[in-house]
């Protein structure tokens, strides 16, 4: 887009993403890739040469951020089902998912792990170079795990790394080597599986797998290169381990005790928690068609985890720890593009107000993407990542996962989804 | 998908007759009506159809590229194609597939791929709608011999992953290789029967034993697959005819015996010479170190002369010559493929009509689709181009994206005609 090209949204209800401000009527002007003017009144705005989008009262809010994204999960029911997709198909799948996230209103996604070593890096690069459409993306490594832990999908008689969903390491030196390999590939984040998961027989969610020496080796390398570690940490011990090692983005955090909560609160200006609770909810209540009945899910430990997670996250929210949406979409029972459902669950089960839920994917989104000064808000000078919504998300959060209600998506000042209204106007003007 | 009525267009129907003024109705993915408009006639009204007033534009069948390499990455050497990692490579292929469709090639025949599964995966992804691209037949890698065209391994780096082609030696290795690609799901096997001067082995030299070739053809036929050959040398052309290799690429050095053989079997073979590659290698590749002096020394200037003579003779004898060939090098970038048609007219004596037919009427059987594509006729699949200009007067208009007003594949617009046309229709309606 021409740097001087302007788009003027008029007659919009502005939900600015700060969480501090009730929506108000006004107009927003975008020039090039940034928001240059946010006006409060409907009148007195000169359109000039701008493309005018008269929103007729639709809500304009910042593009959403998904804090725990797996583009390469392929909506299969098992880890092995993801892993057996061949490389070439997997890249095309990942590209397709990236485009769909953007069109669904996620203008930023934080990669939480990919299924083959380079998938995330290649997709991030292809998005950045304009080769494919997709959200802003931070590329992750594969899940790094230890023998027998979550992500070690090798069978005893097929002990080949290609069969493994994650990278299996053993010992600090090994972890350092693998960390360096992913850093060489160009990842933004390293993913460590510190705890188990109820999905994995013999490595349930309350177990903790890595030694401090292993985590420290990874942390040292990552710090040296200015990158970030993110962790799968469901168990209480793994949450504490992560905090001890200075890890600032914690996924799940289902099981906590007072000490863990105190540690989280003490670090609340730096720490983010993205619990990904929808997968627990889905396994407990909705996974029967894929062979996980409610009884089976209970036996796997999901009922206990759901109760613990709700308590832990409510406590974190009360204590001012930033809890963000996103997590583990891309399974058959928790498919891609339902991600905004997290916000509804936050309100229903964790005591969020709708405004707090919105803030968790806007203000906090810019922060977790490490660009708080220019991303996540409707504010002059900020990047023009915007959603135009038919309806009021504060009254009904579920419109955020309804493609028909998402009228337009803009990233970097360019429409990824063009408003239908604008199309019609162009027609009439042309005629 | 909505029905589309093209009105007020000059229709080139692919049958070899002069274009006529008329209307074309597309319903679903097929052409359901082609009507001549006479003096005073009015366009038929079709309820619910999108009307496209062509304002006299030239409407023709989508073109077929007979020798396509989506995975060649516009680089100057085989090694630099090969060094692209598989993840980037598949995204590149997807991007290139779209570029072909942009340029009016609604069908492409894969002639070889740079890594084992690239072509197959792209074909499948096009067919299931994951990506946008032409109809596509997927090829194997180039099958070659140690030291032959496509063996880019180095003595100290002998790993198969360094090889551009699949390197085999002996009949049973050939059989294993063919079976592997058939398992992967290719539509055709590519075998390199002659050398290629730029890679070290002169184009006039040949490779493979007759037994190895026989096994390749036998095994491919057992799987119901097609064989296509890189065949620049005289011997290799004759082998194609003798062993029943349907698709002959290049065929530069055809002697009388080769021409006689081809003529006697002319409905069993397709020839795609890839002239633009030879011409650009001889004259337009200095930027990449291939000055005319260098390429003359390599023998390409002599080959170009021989190829032009061979093609002239084949044309006289009624052998099917098709456009396409080896686009995807730095000096023959993807998307410029319609150059071949220009050279057919300028160098080998085809009329513009013959050149158009080579990209349309002969494209159907080349795609193994008979007369389902390549024609603007009732019942045919709706692969349609709308051209601003008259390719019969100036064949080069097909090289200009801006002159290709619209591209329709399978009844759906890949590139819809520009707004002014739509607007005109609105007024008309």
């Amino acid at each position: 887009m021409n740097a001087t090209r302007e788009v003027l949204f008029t007659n919009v209800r502005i939900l600015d993403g700060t969480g501090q401000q009730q929506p108000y009527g006004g107009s927003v002007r975008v020039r090039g890739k940034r928001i240059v003017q946010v006006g409060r009144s409907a009148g007195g705005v000169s359109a000039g040469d701008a493309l005018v989008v008269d929103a007729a009262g639709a809500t304009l809010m910042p593009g959403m951020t998904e804090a725990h994204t797996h583009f390469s999960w392929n909506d299969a029911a098992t880890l092995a089902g993801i892993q057996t997709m061949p490389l070439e198909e997997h890249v095309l799948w990942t590209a397709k998912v990236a485009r769909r996230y953007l069109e669904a209103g996620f203008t930023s996604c934080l990669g939480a792990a990919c299924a083959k070593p380079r998938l995330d890096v290649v997709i991030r690069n292809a998005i950045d170079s304009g080769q494919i459409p997709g959200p802003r993306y931070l590329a992750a490594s594969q899940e790094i795990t230890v023998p027998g832990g979550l992500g070690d999908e090798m069978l005893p008689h097929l002990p080949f790394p290609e069969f493994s969903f994650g990278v299996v390491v053993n010992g600090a030196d090994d972890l350092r080597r693998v960390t360096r390999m992913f850093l060489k590939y160009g990842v933004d984040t390293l993913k460590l599986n510190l705890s188990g998961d109820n999905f994995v027989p013999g490595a349930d969610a309350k177990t903790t797998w890595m030694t401090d020496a292993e985590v420290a080796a990874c942390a040292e390398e990552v710090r040296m290169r200015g990158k970030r570690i993110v962790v799968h940490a469901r168990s209480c011990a793994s949450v504490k381990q992560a905090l001890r090692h200075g890890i600032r983005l914690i996924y799940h955090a289902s099981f906590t005790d007072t000490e863990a909560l105190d540690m989280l609160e003490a670090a609340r200006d730096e720490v983010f928690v993205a619990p990904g609770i929808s997968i627990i909810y889905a396994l407990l209540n909705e996974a029967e068609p894929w062979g996980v009945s409610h009884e089976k899910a209970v036996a796997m430990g999901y009922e206990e985890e759901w109760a613990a997670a709700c308590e832990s996250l409510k406590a974190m929210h009360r204590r001012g720890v930033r809890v963000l949406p996103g997590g583990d979409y891309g399974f058959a029972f928790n498919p891609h593009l339902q991600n905004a459902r997290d916000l509804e669950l936050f309100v229903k089960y964790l005591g969020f107000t709708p405004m707090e839920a919105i803030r968790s994917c806007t203000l906090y989104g810019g922060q977790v993407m490490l660009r708080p000064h220019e991303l996540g808000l409707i504010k002059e000078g900020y990047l023009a990542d915007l959603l135009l919504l038919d309806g009021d998300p504060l009254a009904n959060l579920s419109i955020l996962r309804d493609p028909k209600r998402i009228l337009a998506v803009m990233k970097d000042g360019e429409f990824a989804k063009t408003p239908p209204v604008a199309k019609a106007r162009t027609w009439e003007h042309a005629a | 998908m909505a029905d589309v009525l093209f009105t007020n267009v000059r229709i080139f129907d692919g049958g070899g007759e002069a274009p006529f003024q008329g209307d074309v109705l597309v319903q679903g993915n097929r052409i359901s009506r082609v009507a001549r408009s006479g003096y005073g006639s009015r366009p038929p009204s079709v309820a619910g159809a999108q009307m496209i007033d062509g304002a006299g534009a030239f409407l023709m069948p989508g073109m077929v590229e007979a020798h396509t390499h989506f995975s060649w990455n516009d680089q100057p050497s085989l090694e630099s194609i090969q060094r692209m990692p598989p993840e980037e490579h598949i995204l590149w292929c997807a991007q290139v597939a779209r570029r072909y469709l942009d340029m009016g090639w609604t069908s492409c025949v894969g002639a070889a791929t740079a890594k084992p599964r690239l072509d197959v995966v792209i074909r499948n992804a096009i067919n299931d709608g994951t990506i946008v691209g032409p109809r596509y037949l997927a090829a194997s890698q180039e099958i070659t011999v140690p030291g032959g065209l496509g063996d880019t391994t180095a003595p100290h780096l002998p790993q198969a992953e360094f090889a551009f082609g699949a390197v085999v030696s002996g009949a049973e290795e050939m059989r294993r290789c063919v079976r592997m690609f058939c398992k992967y799901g290719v539509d055709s096997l590519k075998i390199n029967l002659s050398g290629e001067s730029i890679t070290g082995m002169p184009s006039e030299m040949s490779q493979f034993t007759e037994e190895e070739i026989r096994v390749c053809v036998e095994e491919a036929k057992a799987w119901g697959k097609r064989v296509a050959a890189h065949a620049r040398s005289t011997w290799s052309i004759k082998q194609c005819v003798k062993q029943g290799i349907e698709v002959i690429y290049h065929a530069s050095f055809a002697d009388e015996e080769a021409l006689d053989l081809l003529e006697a079997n002319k409905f069993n073979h397709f020839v795609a010479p890839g002239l633009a590659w030879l011409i650009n290698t001889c004259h337009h590749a200095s930027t990449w170190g291939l000055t005319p002096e260098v390429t003359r020394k390599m023998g390409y200037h002599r080959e170009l002369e021989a190829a032009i003579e061979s093609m002239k003779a084949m044309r006289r004898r009624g052998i099917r010559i098709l456009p396409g060939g080896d686009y995807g090098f730095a000096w023959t970038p993807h998307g410029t493929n319609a150059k071949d048609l220009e050279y057919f007219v300028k160098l080998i004596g085809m009329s513009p009509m013959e050149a158009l037919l080579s990209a349309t009427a002969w494209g159907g059987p080349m795609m193994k689709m008979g007369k389902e594509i390549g024609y603007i006729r009732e019942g045919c699949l709706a692969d349609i181009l709308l051209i601003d200009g008259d390719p019969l007067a100036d064949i080069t208009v097909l090289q200009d994206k801006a002159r290709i007003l619209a591209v329709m594949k399978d009844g759906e617009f890949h590139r819809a005609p520009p707004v002014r046309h739509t607007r005109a229709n609105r007024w008309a309606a």
Side-chain angles (χ1 to χ4, degrees):
Chain A
M1 175 182 278
N2 187 322
T4 57
R5 169 79 188 282
E6 289 191 1
V7 178
L8 178 66
F9 295 91
T10 62
N11 202 7
V12 284
R13 265 181 92 240
I14 299 169
L15 177 55
D16 69 5
T18 59
Q20 310 278 327
Q21 175 85 47
Q22 285 302 316
Y24 57 92
S27 64
V28 171
R29 186 189 300 269
V30 173
R31 182 181 302 142
K33 53 196 222 174
R34 291 190 185 269
I35 297 164
V36 292
Q37 192 183 19
V38 181
R40 265 193 174 269
S41 95
V45 181
S46 155
D49 290 336
L51 169 72
V52 178
V53 177
D54 183 338
T59 301
L60 190 73
M61 66 173 275
M64 296 185 284
T65 296
E66 222 280 357
H68 178 167
T69 316
H70 299 296
F71 284 157
S72 57
W73 279 205
N74 63 5
D75 289 347
T78 62
L79 298 186
I82 297 173
Q83 192 54 22
T84 48
M85 183 176 240
L87 178 65
E88 295 90 342
E89 281 87 345
H90 220 148
V91 174
L92 294 179
W93 165 268
T94 309
K96 179 166 100 172
V97 171
R99 172 170 54 77
R100 293 168 71 204
Y101 268 70
L102 180 58
E103 288 168 358
F106 289 94
T107 50
S108 293
C109 292
L110 204 159
C114 61
K116 296 187 171 71
R118 297 182 70 248
L119 289 175
D120 256 22
V121 165
V122 171
I123 288 298
R124 178 202 59 199
N125 294 349
I127 292 170
D128 288 348
S129 72
Q131 189 180 20
I132 62 169
R136 301 176 194 283
Y137 195 56
L138 295 179
S141 68
Q142 280 176 281
E143 301 191 341
I144 301 173
T145 190
V146 296
L150 166 65
D152 175 6
E153 286 290 305
M154 287 182 277
L155 295 167
H157 67 297
L158 297 169
F160 312 110
E162 291 81 359
F163 283 91
S164 186
F165 187 71
V167 175
V168 182
V169 300
N170 201 48
D173 287 347
D174 206 14
L175 195 37
R176 190 184 300 275
R177 183 185 56 76
V178 165
T179 301
R180 286 173 171 164
M181 181 192 76
F182 280 116
L183 290 169
K184 165 182 163 173
Y185 289 172
V187 300
D188 298 302
T189 60
L190 275 292
K191 172 76 176 289
L192 298 184
N193 286 351
L194 297 186
S195 81
D197 195 291
N198 289 332
F199 210 54
V200 185
D204 68 61
K206 289 198 273 189
T207 57
T208 306
W209 289 74
M210 279 194 186
T211 65
D212 276 332
E214 286 167 331
V215 178
C218 179
E220 186 183 20
E221 286 298 320
V222 167
R223 211 165 287 136
M224 221 184 299
R225 299 278 290 270
K227 305 294 184 186
R228 173 197 260 181
I229 302 182
V230 302
V231 291
H232 172 94
R234 294 192 182 275
S235 69
C236 185
S238 66
V239 172
K240 294 179 196 171
Q241 184 180 43
L243 292 166
R244 274 202 310 279
H245 288 277
I247 293 165
R248 294 299 177 233
L249 180 46
I250 297 174
Y251 292 137
H252 310 305
S254 302
F255 297 97
T256 55
D257 57 15
T258 309
E259 187 193 4
L261 290 170
D262 288 345
M263 288 171 75
L264 281 164
E265 186 176 351
R268 69 181 183 186
D269 292 336
E270 296 168 14
V271 165
F272 301 92
V273 174
I277 50 173
S278 112
I279 194 169
I280 306 179
Y281 184 89
L283 281 164
L284 261 181
N285 302 303
E286 299 163 352
E288 179 108 42
W290 298 276
V292 185
S293 63
H294 179 70
E295 294 67 38
K296 188 172 175 191
V298 171
M300 288 164 88
Y302 281 113
E303 191 170 54
E304 182 193 7
E305 185 176 0
W306 173 258
C310 287
E311 285 315 303
S312 295
L313 294 164
K314 271 193 264 188
M316 287 179 221
H317 185 56
R318 271 199 310 275
R319 289 166 176 246
V321 176
R322 291 170 291 189
V323 176
L324 280 70
D328 281 328
Y329 290 87
F331 286 102
F333 36 82
N334 197 43
H336 285 299
L337 305 180
Q338 291 302 307
N339 311 49
R341 184 189 197 187
D342 272 31
L343 303 178
E344 294 158 58
L345 297 175
F346 284 5
V347 171
K348 199 163 173 193
Y349 296 104
L350 304 185
F352 279 53
T353 65
M355 186 64 102
E356 287 170 340
I358 294 289
R359 179 183 65 181
S360 72
C361 67
T362 54
L363 175 71
Y364 292 173
Q367 294 169 352
V368 83
M369 290 297 288
L370 307 174
R371 303 172 83 166
H373 55 289
E374 59 173 358
L375 197 60
L377 301 179
I378 295 186
K379 189 173 169 184
E380 287 170 13
Y382 272 54
L383 290 164
D385 288 11
L386 299 168
L387 304 187
L388 192 63
L389 296 170
D390 174 16
D392 179 2
L394 296 175
N396 181 3
L397 283 166
S398 74
I399 66 172
L400 288 168
R401 54 184 172 119
D402 182 351
K404 290 195 292 294
R405 306 295 285 274
I406 297 176
L407 301 175
V409 180
M410 177 178 269
K411 177 194 155 200
D412 253 348
E414 291 195 54
F415 282 115
K417 180 174 181 178
T418 310
V421 215
K423 261 188 196 159
R425 285 180 65 94
T426 313
W427 268 66
E428 284 164 34
H429 281 306
Chain B
M1 80 193 73
D3 299 343
V4 177
L5 177 66
F6 296 91
T7 64
N8 198 12
V9 285
R10 269 183 85 214
I11 300 165
F12 171 76
D13 75 355
E17 306 300 319
F20 55 89
Q21 203 73 20
D23 312 307
V24 175
L25 177 65
V26 174
Q27 289 183 300
N29 67 339
R30 288 188 187 269
I31 296 166
S32 62
R33 195 171 71 203
V34 180
R36 283 173 190 269
S37 53
Y39 176 72
S41 76
R42 300 175 49 183
S45 76
V46 179
Q50 181 191 358
M51 301 255 290
I52 307 287
D53 184 337
F58 189 90
L59 186 141
M60 63 175 278
M63 297 188 288
V64 178
E65 223 280 358
H67 179 169
T68 316
H69 299 296
F70 285 158
S71 57
W72 280 207
N73 61 6
D74 289 350
Q75 292 291 311
S77 69
L78 298 186
E79 287 80 357
S80 32
I81 297 173
Q82 192 54 24
R83 286 184 62 87
M84 186 174 237
E87 294 93 341
E88 280 86 348
H89 219 149
I90 195 78
L91 288 179
W92 167 266
C93 292
Q95 183 186 345
V96 170
R98 173 188 282 269
R99 204 193 290 178
Y100 274 76
L101 197 50
D102 281 344
M103 294 304 293
W105 302 94
T106 50
S107 294
C108 293
V109 177
T113 181
K115 295 188 170 71
R117 296 182 70 250
L118 293 174
D119 254 24
V120 165
V121 173
I122 287 295
R123 177 200 61 199
N124 296 348
I126 291 170
N127 289 344
D128 73 16
T130 300
I131 64 167
V132 171
R135 301 178 194 280
Y136 195 58
L137 294 181
S140 68
Q141 280 178 285
E142 303 191 339
I143 302 174
T144 190
V145 298
L149 164 62
D151 176 7
T152 49
T153 59
H156 67 297
L157 299 168
Q159 290 84 355
E161 289 80 0
F162 283 95
F164 186 72
V167 182
V168 302
S169 199
E172 288 318 302
E173 273 190 36
M174 171 65 85
R175 196 183 296 279
R176 165 181 287 278
C177 182
V178 172
R179 285 172 172 166
M180 181 193 74
F181 283 117
C182 288
K183 166 182 164 175
Y184 289 172
V186 299
D187 297 302
S188 71
L189 280 299
K190 172 71 176 289
I191 180 168
N192 286 350
L193 294 187
S194 79
E196 177 70 63
S197 302
I198 203 170
T199 65
M201 180 189 263
S203 302
E204 284 164 273
M205 281 174 67
S206 302
Q207 52 186 47
F208 279 117
T209 63
E210 291 194 41
E211 176 62 7
E212 287 166 325
I213 302 168
R214 191 191 65 72
V215 168
C216 175
V217 174
E218 173 187 275
E219 196 64 35
K221 287 196 173 148
W223 287 75
K225 307 295 183 186
R226 166 193 268 175
V227 183
H230 171 92
R232 295 193 182 276
S233 66
T234 312
W235 183 84
S236 66
I237 301 167
K238 294 176 189 169
Q239 279 297 312
C240 288
V241 182
K242 287 178 184 165
Q243 304 237 29
I245 294 176
E246 187 183 13
V247 180
I248 306 174
Y249 291 134
H250 310 303
S252 304
F253 297 101
D255 63 7
E256 278 303 303
E257 187 195 352
L259 291 169
D260 290 343
L261 277 168
L262 276 169
E263 186 175 358
N265 296 279
K266 63 184 173 187
F267 294 115
N268 300 328
H269 295 282
F270 299 94
V271 174
L275 284 181
W277 190 88
L278 277 178
I279 291 164
N280 285 352
T281 303
C282 287
H283 300 296
H284 304 294
S286 297
T287 312
W288 297 274
L290 296 171
T291 60
E293 295 71 44
V294 172
T295 53
R296 185 175 299 280
K297 207 174 280 177
M298 286 177 172
Y300 279 119
H301 293 251
R302 202 159 50 76
E303 180 174 352
L304 177 56
E305 284 165 31
I308 290 170
E309 288 313 308
S310 296
M311 291 310 130
K312 280 182 181 166
M314 287 186 208
R315 176 185 161 265
R316 280 195 301 271
R317 293 169 181 243
I319 295 156
R320 294 178 293 191
I321 302 171
L322 281 75
D326 280 326
Y327 290 85
F329 285 98
W331 53 92
T332 53
H334 288 298
T336 59
N337 310 49
K339 275 265 176 206
D340 270 34
L341 301 178
E342 179 187 346
Y343 294 136
F344 283 176
V345 172
K346 288 190 176 156
L347 297 177
I348 68 174
M350 282 193 193
S351 66
M353 174 67 80
E354 287 177 83
L356 277 191
L357 293 176
S358 77
T360 56
W362 292 343
M366 184 67 192
M367 282 296 293
K368 300 184 172 179
M369 295 178 76
K371 295 194 168 186
E372 283 226 284
I373 59 169
Y375 296 92
I376 304 296
R377 286 185 181 164
E378 290 169 13
C380 290
L381 290 166
D383 289 6
I384 295 174
L385 310 183
L386 199 60
I387 308 293
D388 173 17
D390 183 356
L392 294 173
D394 177 6
I395 194 79
T396 65
V397 298
L398 294 170
Q399 298 169 30
D400 183 353
K401 187 172 172 183
R403 304 291 288 273
I404 302 172
L405 299 174
V407 178
M408 173 178 273
K409 177 194 153 199
D410 214 29
E412 285 194 73
F413 277 121
H414 165 61
R415 284 174 54 209
V419 175
R420 64 191 162 91
H421 290 265
T422 328
R423 197 182 63 186
N425 283 311
R426 279 211 124 194
W427 283 101

